[in-house]
Amino acid sequence: MAGESDSSSQAIDHERYGLGSSVKATQWEQITILLLLTVVMGILAFTIVQLTGDPTASLPTNLASVSVQSGDTLGSIALHYAPHADAGAVIARIQELNGLTSSAISPGQVLVVPAGL
């Protein structure tokens, strides 16, 4: 019919104008960026794990026997006997070594504690 236009004659030649290749390039660019971000996140996660590490790995291996004084806490004992170690890890180790289920200690009580570092 004369009033109807032929859709094939009005179709845009995507290859002629580079439209098809730009869409593919955009997809490749997105994939490349996603891949790079994934690699960067992996490296960052690995670095964080290496820097923080396992806090118990830096605990002193030497042990000392300590008599709890009035006012002592597991935290103060940990800081006194292992000042450069992670205090939370030292407290957990003191509890483990002495079979403590809480942080409650009493004057006169004898504790085995990690010492050094």
Side-chain angles (χ1 to χ4, degrees):
M1 301 184 127
E4 292 182 27
S5 60
D6 181 8
S7 63
S8 63
S9 66
Q10 292 182 351
I12 297 172
D13 184 356
H14 291 287
E15 289 187 24
R16 178 176 176 196
Y17 294 105
L19 297 175
S21 63
S22 68
V23 171
K24 289 180 184 174
T26 301
Q27 290 171 343
W28 280 112
E29 289 170 358
Q30 290 174 352
I31 290 169
T32 302
I33 289 170
L34 184 61
L35 181 62
L36 286 172
L37 285 174
T38 303
V39 169
V40 168
M41 293 300 289
I43 292 170
L44 182 62
F46 178 79
T47 303
I48 290 171
V49 168
Q50 292 300 313
L51 290 176
T52 57
D54 180 11
T56 60
S58 64
L59 286 177
T61 54
N62 296 333
L63 299 177
S65 182
V66 176
S67 180
V68 176
Q69 303 298 310
S70 180
D72 280 348
T73 65
L74 290 180
S76 66
I77 293 170
L79 289 173
H80 180 76
Y81 285 92
H84 302 291
D86 178 78
V90 175
I91 291 169
R93 182 70 174 133
I94 293 171
Q95 290 176 314
E96 178 186 326
L97 288 169
N98 296 282
L100 301 175
T101 56
S102 73
S103 60
I105 54 175
S106 304
Q109 183 177 0
V110 177
L111 298 175
V112 176
V113 301
L117 285 185

